[in-house]
């Protein structure tokens, strides 16, 4: 036995013939076992994680057991020896090749029953251990060669694509260090490779943009993470700022190493190049987007064919850029956007144009302001959002329909789980009871998500047909009492200043708003924390404030707290439950009631949510109101 072990180890060190090495391993095992028939196979896992045994060397024939496949499957499943002695003078022994509790192959032996026994298995154990180690090494080497060849081909292709790309490509490490940059990135940033590679991303991007990019690295869950996109302020190494359209795709380099690929293009330079070209030739005459160019006074010098079709303007004589906007948008353009353009040279947001029939056209708009020598001008690019909004309505309807369809079977599942758990369908043991409890809790969470989807889908579908008179102080006290027993801290209400002030609306919906805000405060406040509910009358409104002493919300997340499915970064780090629908539902309900909701917060300093609702007018409401309703949930 020892000689065979030394022999196969020496053969492994010297041989480069993999097929011959498999044959030699099998021969050594057969010699030590006293058997003439046998095989050795390598365990290969397919793309969906199913193991398959591939024979590498064999001396077997028809005398093996007819159910050999089942026997081998049992060896793999148990990762242990399987001995079959049918009593016809021959037996079969299957032995797994195991390295560090991981099965890498199987050895099968067939021979007389006096040879095939458990004693034979024990005698072969040291040899089988050495064979297993060699098989693992062969497997790793083969996989390494295949992967290396594939990576070399992919790398050559990738280098060619990235090197010739017209947009900037940068690879960033988790600490913000720039690892790689292509020629286009060097050109856009006005840098050479030595100056840029190894430098911090903060040298060429705004702090908010850097935080966003690095957050994508921190949250990368897999090798291929969904690509995200955002407009970010960037800075060339010579100090010239510009707005860039940036996409980020985070990925794992290894289990403990992550990075991100960042691509970007200068949208200001592109728009200015387009506008300059338009002054000599109508290159954008075929685009449906509006492109307009005006002087410093706002008088339009150029309006492309797409813009003329969108607004109905044909004669530009005496037409200013503000004439293209809806009245409220024109006022905003002169009052807010023009000063920001003069200060920052660019503005991006949503506005509304107007056509010759007076119909408002919602648009996404990019505005640029330039002062070059004696020339000062505005450039505007606007895209019609009506089709986009129509698609959002279809998506809204789809979510509502799917949620309704999910609720019916989910109700049945939860009902039967409750019957099983209570023993109505037969006795349930402790382990089964535990499993049923886990399933019920998961089902309840899914039902809560479906209910919230239905709630947010239905808020905008119905108006307040018969608003009720709701006493705000009572609403806050009811919310406090509903959560005080579940919070190891203090929840106080200060509503003396509003007396019996009322608002008009749906009791159940407003109850859900304040219950959800209190739930957020409870969820993100420490034990012993302080939650305060206060109310006062300001002009013709009741202003309610819900403040806590919790973890707060990062500054970069404040603008997104009312978006559907958004959860603050520190809330995700705490791994608290929530779908990110609560604040979106709260805002939808408050706006439905003619009010407004805002959030003020800072990390570690708690959060203040302010809800403003118009006071009820005489004759506006009906008495009473239902007391049902669910909390919108957490942020």
């Amino acid at each position: 036995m020892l000689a065979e072990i030394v022999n196969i180890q020496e053969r492994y060190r010297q041989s480069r013939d993999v097929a011959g090495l498999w044959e030699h391993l099998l021969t050594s095992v057969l010699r030590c076992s006293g058997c003439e028939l046998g095989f050795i196979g390598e365990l290969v896992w397919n793309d969906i994680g199913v193991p398959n045994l591939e024979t590498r060397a064999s001396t077997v024939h028809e005398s093996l057991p007819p159910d050999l496949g089942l026997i081998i499957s049992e060896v793999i499943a148990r990762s242990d020896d399987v001995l079959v002695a049918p009593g016809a003078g021959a037996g079969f022994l299957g032995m797994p090749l195991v390295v560090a509790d991981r099965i890498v192959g199987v050895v099968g032996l067939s021979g007389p029953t006096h040879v095939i026994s458990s004693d034979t298995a024990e005698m072969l154990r040291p040899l089988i251990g050495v064979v297993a180690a060699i098989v693992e090494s062969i497997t790793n080497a083969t996989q390494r060669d295949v992967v290396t060849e594939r990576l070399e081909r992919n790398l050559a292709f990738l280098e060619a694509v990235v090197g010739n790309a017209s947009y900037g490509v940068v690879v960033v490490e988790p600490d913000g260090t720039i690892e790689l940059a292509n020629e286009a990135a060097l050109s856009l940033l006005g840098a050479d490779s030595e100056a840029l590679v190894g430098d911090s991303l903060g040298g060429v991007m705004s702090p908010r943009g850097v935080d966003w990019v690095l957050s994508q690295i921190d949250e990368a869950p897999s090798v291929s993470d969904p690509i995200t996109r955002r407009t970010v302020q960037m800075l060339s190494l010579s100090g010239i700022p510009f707005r860039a359209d940036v996409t980020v795709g985070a990925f794992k380099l290894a289990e403990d190493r992550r990075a991100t690929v960042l691509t970007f293009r200068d949208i200001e330079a592109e728009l200015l190049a387009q506008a300059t070209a338009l002054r000599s030739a109508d290159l954008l005459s075929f685009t449906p987007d509006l492109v307009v160019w005006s002087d410093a006074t706002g008088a339009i010098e150029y309006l492309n064919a797409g813009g003329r079709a969108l607004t109905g303007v044909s004669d530009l004589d005496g037409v200013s850029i503000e004439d293209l906007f809806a009245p409220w948008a024109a006022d905003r353009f002169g009052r807010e956007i023009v000063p920001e353009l003069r200060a920052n040279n660019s503005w991006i947001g949503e506005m509304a144009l107007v056509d010759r029939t007076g119909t408002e056209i919602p648009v996404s708009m990019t505005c640029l302001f330039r002062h070059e020598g004696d020339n000062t001008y505005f450039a505007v690019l606007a895209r019609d959002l009506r089709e986009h909004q129509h698609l959002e309505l279809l998506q809204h309807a789809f979510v509502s329909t799917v949620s309704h369809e999910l609720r019916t079977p989910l109700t049945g599942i939860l009902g039967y789980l409750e019957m099983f758990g209570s023993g109505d369908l037969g006795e349930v043991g402790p382990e089964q009871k535990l499993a049923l409890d886990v399933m019920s809790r998961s089902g309840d969470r899914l039902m809560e998500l479906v209910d919230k989807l239905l709630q947010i889908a239905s808020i905008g579908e119905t108006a307040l047909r018969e608003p009720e008179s709701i006493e705000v102080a009572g609403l806050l006290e009811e919310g406090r009492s509903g959560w005080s027993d579940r919070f190891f801290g203090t929840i106080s209400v200060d509503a003396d200043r509003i007396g019996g002030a009322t608002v008009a609306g749906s009791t159940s919906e407003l109850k859900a708003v304040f219950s959800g805000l209190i739930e957020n405060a409870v969820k993100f406040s420490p034990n012993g924390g302080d939650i305060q509910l206060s109310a006062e009358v300001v002009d013709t409104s009741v202003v309610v404030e819900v403040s806590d002493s919790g973890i707060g919300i990062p500054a970069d997340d404040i603008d997104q707290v009312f978006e559907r499915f958004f959860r603050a970064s520190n809330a995700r780090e705490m791994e608290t439950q929530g779908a990110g629908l609560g604040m979106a539902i709260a805002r939808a309900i408050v706006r439905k009631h003619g009010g407004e909701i805002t959030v003020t917060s800072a990390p570690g300093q708690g959060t203040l949510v302010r809800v403003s609702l118009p006071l009820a007018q005489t004759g506006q409401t009906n008495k009473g109101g239902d007391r049902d309703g669910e909390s919108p949930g957490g942020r």
Side-chain angles (χ1 to χ4, degrees), residues 197-221:
V197 174
D199 197 6
S200 170
L201 185 62
V204 295
M205 182 177 287
S206 67
R208 185 170 182 173
V210 173
D211 290 343
W212 168 64
V213 171
L214 297 184
S215 71
Q216 305 305 302
I217 304 177
D218 294 339
E219 298 169 10

Side-chain angles (χ1 to χ4, degrees), residues 304-634:
N304 73 330
R308 293 171 188 262
L310 196 61
T311 61
V313 174
S314 56
D315 185 3
L316 298 180
D317 187 25
V319 179
S320 73
I321 197 168
E322 293 185 1
D323 295 331
L324 303 178
F325 297 117
W328 67 267
D331 175 71
R332 183 187 179 196
F333 183 82
R335 180 168 42 84
E336 297 179 11
I337 298 177
V338 170
E340 184 171 343
L341 284 171
R342 293 185 182 276
N344 301 318
N345 297 324
S346 64
W347 181 90
I348 297 176
E350 292 187 3
M351 285 282 279
L353 303 177
V354 63
D355 65 15
R356 55 189 166 189
T357 67
T359 302
E360 287 192 9
I361 305 169
V363 294
S364 63
M365 193 169 76
T366 299
C367 304
L368 297 177
F369 173 78
R370 286 294 181 270
H371 183 78
E372 298 177 357
D374 296 332
N375 297 320
T376 301
Y377 48 86
F378 294 96
V380 174
L381 174 65
R383 173 162 295 177
D384 190 346
L385 290 178
R386 286 175 293 186
E387 179 64 20
H388 174 72
Q389 291 178 348
H390 175 66
L391 292 175
E392 282 192 335
L393 288 175
L394 293 177
Q395 182 187 44
H396 180 83
F398 173 77
V399 170
S400 179
T401 301
V402 170
S403 299
H404 275 290
E405 294 299 318
L406 283 174
R407 204 180 196 287
T408 300
L410 189 55
T411 300
I413 292 171
L414 290 174
Y416 273 104
L417 284 174
E418 183 177 358
M419 294 173 66
F420 274 115
S422 63
D424 291 347
L425 300 180
E427 185 178 353
V428 178
E431 293 184 357
Q432 291 85 355
K433 175 65 175 174
L434 178 61
L436 288 171
D437 289 343
V438 173
M439 294 165 66
S440 295
R441 288 195 298 270
S442 299
D444 289 339
R445 288 180 58 192
L446 183 57
M447 180 65 81
E448 180 183 356
L449 176 59
V450 170
D451 286 341
K452 287 181 179 179
L453 288 172
L454 286 172
Q455 184 179 11
I456 201 168
S458 64
I459 288 172
E461 295 175 355
T462 58
L464 292 171
R465 298 178 181 175
E466 296 183 355
E468 305 146 10
S469 178
I470 308 166
E471 186 177 313
V472 176
L475 204 62
L476 297 182
E477 182 58 35
E478 186 174 352
R480 185 203 65 79
S481 61
W483 283 98
S484 58
D485 293 339
R486 290 179 276 178
F487 179 52
F488 297 103
T490 303
I491 303 178
S492 60
V493 176
D494 178 12
D496 295 340
R497 289 173 291 177
I498 66 171
T502 62
V503 296
S506 166
T507 303
S508 61
E509 290 186 352
L510 291 181
K511 175 184 175 183
V513 169
F514 293 115
S515 179
L517 296 180
I518 297 171
E519 179 185 354
N520 276 345
V522 169
K523 186 184 298 183
F524 298 105
S525 293
N527 291 335
D530 184 26
I531 298 172
Q532 297 180 352
L533 313 178
S534 63
E536 63 178 335
V537 175
V538 179
D539 297 329
T540 59
S541 299
V542 175
V543 177
V544 177
E545 293 184 348
V546 180
S547 63
D548 63 53
S549 55
I551 63 173
I553 304 173
D556 287 350
D557 293 343
I558 286 289
D559 293 339
Q560 304 175 70
V561 294
F562 294 111
E563 295 180 8
R564 298 180 185 184
F565 303 106
F566 177 80
R567 304 187 70 220
S569 55
N570 52 354
R572 295 195 300 270
E573 291 170 0
M574 290 176 60
E575 298 183 353
T576 56
Q577 293 183 5
L581 288 171
M583 295 301 285
I585 294 174
R587 182 172 68 171
I589 293 175
V590 170
R591 287 185 171 179
K592 179 180 177 180
H593 286 72
E596 193 55 68
I597 180 171
T598 59
V599 175
T600 305
S601 185
Q605 299 180 26
T607 298
L608 171 65
V609 182
R610 182 178 289 105
V611 178
S612 176
L613 295 167
L615 286 167
Q617 304 298 316
T618 303
Q620 183 182 3
T621 63
N622 295 324
K623 293 183 178 180
D626 66 90
R627 284 295 178 184
D628 298 323
E630 295 183 0
S631 162

